[in-house]
Amino acid sequence: MKDLKNFVKPVLFLTIGLLLISLVRNFDFTSMMLKIQNNIQQGLTVVKITDEKSEIKDDNLNIKFKVPSIHYDDKEVEKSINNYIKKNIKEYINVQRQINKMNKYSEKHVVNITYNVAFEDENLINIIIEKDTTWGKNDYKLEKDSYVFNLNTGKRVYLDDLLKDNDDYSSVITETIKKDITNKHPLYDNLNIDRNTNYYIQDRYINIYFNPYKQSKDSTQYEFKVPYDAFKNKIEAFNNFFLITVNSEVIKKNNKYLKSNLNIPIIKSDNAEIDNKVNKKIRDDIMNFYEQSLKEAENYLDDFALDESNFVADASFEVKKNNPNVISVLVKYYKYSGGAHGYYEYVSYNINLKDGSLISLKDIFKDDVNYKLLINNKIESQIKELAKKEKDLDKVYDFSGIKDNQKFYLDDSNIVIYFDLYEIAPYAAGIPEFPIAVDNIKQQIKELYIQLII
């Protein structure tokens, strides 16, 4: 009997195993993973959207529609957006039905109305309503309505709202489009770019289009990409759209010599090669700071046999500027090795995200500009103003001019020059910073860097 049990067990396990393998083979893992991915993406979106489906059948006209119904925390905003979209779709459907009654289509027309979300963040949502009409065997007409809504107010964002700081946006878009078409194009001499021009947002472009943007009997192009950096001034909405993600890697290292808390920035843009290059540079610098601090602590504490003492070496960071072209990260080092107070130092990384290069002060200014003299005068003027406001600051600063490798960082509107401890002032003055407004020195800055840093 015991032998029989020993024989039955492996057979039973084998049978169960074969059954599981059979089930796994028939299981659609790809479908499962897509569902999981979609659920995750939906969980991360600000606005939830459900479908409303229906169908209308008239003589020779069939209208199928799947329209969005948004769900949002602010119910007034939710109501405003839903009413706007549904009102426009209803009007379009009524017009199509009226045209059908008046024209009495000889061939059945099928109108398929669907939607997609072109862009969404915490401030804006761009919903596209696609309206595809087909008839006969091969005829079709493709149209779409793009609606960009402000999620703070529920109001529609028209093209001139998006480009409100660019008075010349119409001519910029017109010139960009004309570069892609010939003078034989129907739109060449008839481009009228204004508030009501159709557009949608995709990646780093404004897509301008004209309805119908595609149809069976016309191969002409009626949709055009305009890169947002074609505009001289900031595009209001893009300040929120294309922020580069900066995460933090935290490394804690504690031993009898040194306590360290290292926060390392991890930059993530849409260019992995540049990200890897920049992240490696910053990470290597921070880890070199730690290794050097550890070596100093070991040498000092071993010599003085202070086994129970610990030095401190910390690193943190602050993102000062963040746009699709440039990111400015300020790494802050702090070191304490005994004495009355610790020592801290700032190291900035002003990164051109077009190529991953580090921007120097000299890079920013035109070749014929004495940028050192320009900045020196700005700093001296600020020092004088500080002394006027606080007499205690008179003669505190010992400033003789910036260096070739002068430290600086960028913020939203300034080039900020800063100095190390003791460099131009006593310890009590901290790290002196002098912001220089970019708007005041535009004439001296290279056109390329005006577009990058403003």
Side-chain angles (χ1 to χ4, degrees):
M1 191 70 176
K2 183 176 181 181
D3 292 338
L4 182 60
K5 286 183 178 179
N6 290 336
F7 174 77
V8 170
K9 281 183 180 178
V11 172
L12 181 61
F13 288 136
L14 179 61
T15 303
I16 294 171
L18 290 172
L19 180 60
L20 288 173
I21 290 171
S22 176
L23 289 172
V24 167
R25 283 180 175 174
N26 293 323
F27 191 78
D28 189 349
F29 273 107
T30 303
S31 176
M32 180 189 74
M33 292 308 295
L34 285 173
K35 287 180 180 178
I36 292 173
Q37 184 180 15
N38 289 336
N39 287 338
I40 290 172
Q41 290 175 344
Q42 290 172 9
L44 293 175
T45 57
V46 177
V47 175
K48 307 298 180 186
I49 301 180
T50 56
D51 300 338
E52 291 187 13
K53 299 178 182 179
S54 190
E55 185 172 1
I56 296 173
K57 292 183 178 181
D58 291 340
D59 291 339
N60 282 337
L61 177 64
N62 189 10
I63 301 176
K64 301 176 182 179
F65 52 94
K66 182 179 75 173
V67 299
S69 180
I70 79 155
H71 307 276
Y72 188 53
D73 289 342
D74 189 323
K75 295 306 173 186
E76 288 299 318
V77 169
E78 173 187 301
K79 181 180 178 181
S80 176
I81 295 175
N82 281 330
N83 287 346
Y84 190 98
I85 293 175
K86 289 171 184 177
K87 175 177 176 289
N88 280 273
I89 292 175
K90 185 177 180 180
E91 287 178 355
Y92 176 81
I93 291 172
N94 288 338
V95 168
Q96 298 308 306
R97 298 181 78 182
Q98 288 296 324
I99 292 173
N100 179 43
K101 286 181 180 179
M102 292 171 61
N103 292 346
K104 296 182 179 180
Y105 290 137
S106 59
E107 294 180 294
K108 185 176 181 179
H109 283 54
V110 176
V111 180
N112 192 27
I113 301 174
T114 58
Y115 74 92
N116 69 78
V117 178
F119 183 85
E120 177 190 353
D121 72 358
E122 69 275 13
N123 298 298
L124 297 173
I125 187 167
N126 184 184
I127 297 174
I128 297 177
I129 306 299
E130 297 181 340
K131 302 172 295 186
D132 302 344
T133 305
T134 59
W135 65 96
K137 290 184 178 180
N138 300 308
D139 289 323
Y140 65 87
K141 178 177 65 175
L142 306 183
E143 300 173 280
K144 56 190 168 192
D145 293 325
S146 174
Y147 305 117
V148 180
F149 293 104
N150 185 327
L151 289 173
N152 297 309
T153 63
K155 293 182 179 179
R156 185 174 176 184
V157 180
Y158 289 90
L159 188 61
D160 62 348
D161 297 321
L162 191 78
L163 303 173
K164 66 180 183 180
D165 292 326
N166 293 272
D167 294 336
D168 61 344
Y169 78 86
S170 179
S171 60
V172 170
I173 292 174
T174 300
E175 290 169 10
T176 303
I177 291 176
K178 282 189 172 183
K179 289 178 183 177
D180 291 337
I181 60 178
T182 68
N183 58 2
K184 294 181 180 179
H185 194 288
L187 292 174
Y188 195 85
D189 293 318
N190 297 294
L191 280 168
N192 182 25
I193 307 298
D194 59 18
R195 169 184 176 83
N196 295 307
T197 297
N198 296 317
Y199 79 97
Y200 66 94
I201 301 158
Q202 184 182 48
D203 192 17
R204 297 182 179 184
Y205 295 89
I206 298 174
N207 290 274
I208 302 294
Y209 69 93
F210 303 86
N211 277 324
Y213 68 94
K214 192 178 292 186
Q215 50 190 330
S216 54
K217 296 179 181 179
D218 186 358
S219 60
T220 309
Q221 177 187 5
Y222 288 97
E223 185 166 335
F224 309 92
K225 283 188 172 184
V226 180
Y228 69 84
D229 55 9
F231 304 96
K232 290 182 180 179
N233 295 322
K234 287 182 181 179
I235 297 175
E236 183 68 19
F238 286 172
N239 294 337
N240 299 312
F241 286 173
F242 301 112
L243 294 181
I244 308 304
T245 302
V246 184
N247 296 318
S248 177
E249 176 188 1
V250 180
I251 299 177
K252 293 186 178 182
K253 290 178 174 284
N254 296 327
N255 57 44
K256 68 176 183 177
Y257 298 105
L258 190 66
K259 285 184 178 180
S260 284
N261 190 8
L262 308 173
N263 285 276
I264 303 173
I266 307 295
I267 296 168
K268 186 175 181 181
S269 68
D270 59 0
N271 190 317
E273 185 178 348
I274 289 177
D275 295 345
N276 292 336
K277 174 184 173 182
V278 172
N279 289 333
K280 184 179 185 304
K281 166 65 176 169
I282 299 176
R283 193 180 198 285
D284 286 350
D285 288 351
I286 292 175
M287 296 313 297
N288 286 338
F289 160 76
Y290 169 77
E291 295 295 339
Q292 183 181 351
S293 300
L294 178 61
K295 190 173 182 180
E296 291 173 1
E298 289 173 345
N299 292 338
Y300 184 86
L301 294 175
D302 278 343
D303 288 343
F304 288 90
L306 300 174
D307 292 342
E308 295 181 359
S309 297
N310 291 93
F311 283 179
V312 175
D314 292 340
S316 60
F317 70 89
E318 187 176 344
V319 179
K320 292 293 188 177
K321 186 177 186 68
N322 182 353
N323 72 29
N325 301 313
V326 170
I327 190 166
S328 186
V329 180
L330 191 65
V331 176
K332 301 179 178 182
Y333 295 105
Y334 173 77
K335 186 187 295 185
Y336 179 75
S337 53
H341 49 68
Y343 180 82
Y344 47 101
E345 180 183 4
Y346 293 172
V347 176
S348 56
Y349 299 85
N350 304 297
I351 303 154
N352 182 343
L353 291 172
K354 300 284 188 181
D355 58 14
S357 62
L358 293 175
I359 301 169
S360 68
L361 267 179
K362 186 177 180 180
D363 292 334
I364 294 173
F365 293 90
K366 294 177 179 176
D367 295 335
D368 60 347
V369 172
N370 187 338
Y371 77 94
K372 286 187 180 180
L373 179 62
L374 174 68
I375 292 174
N376 289 344
N377 289 339
K378 296 286 185 182
I379 292 175
E380 287 171 356
S381 176
Q382 289 187 41
I383 290 174
K384 288 179 182 178
E385 287 300 314
L386 288 171
K388 287 180 182 178
K389 293 177 181 178
E390 296 185 44
K391 292 185 179 180
D392 292 343
L393 294 178
D394 189 26
K395 298 182 181 179
V396 164
Y397 295 99
D398 183 17
F399 174 69
S400 58
I402 62 172
K403 300 179 292 188
D404 289 340
N405 60 344
Q406 180 59 51
K407 292 183 174 183
F408 75 101
Y409 64 82
L410 303 167
D411 65 20
D412 283 341
S413 55
N414 300 291
I415 298 172
V416 182
I417 308 297
Y418 68 93
F419 298 88
D420 290 333
L421 289 174
Y422 304 113
E423 189 174 357
I424 67 167
Y427 183 91
I431 292 183
E433 295 186 352
F434 300 93
I436 299 172
V438 173
D439 282 344
N440 295 338
I441 55 172
K442 272 186 181 179
Q443 298 301 319
Q444 287 77 33
I445 294 176
K446 293 175 183 174
E447 184 66 28
L448 168 66
Y449 284 96
I450 290 178
Q451 295 177 10
L452 284 177
I453 68 179
I454 293 181

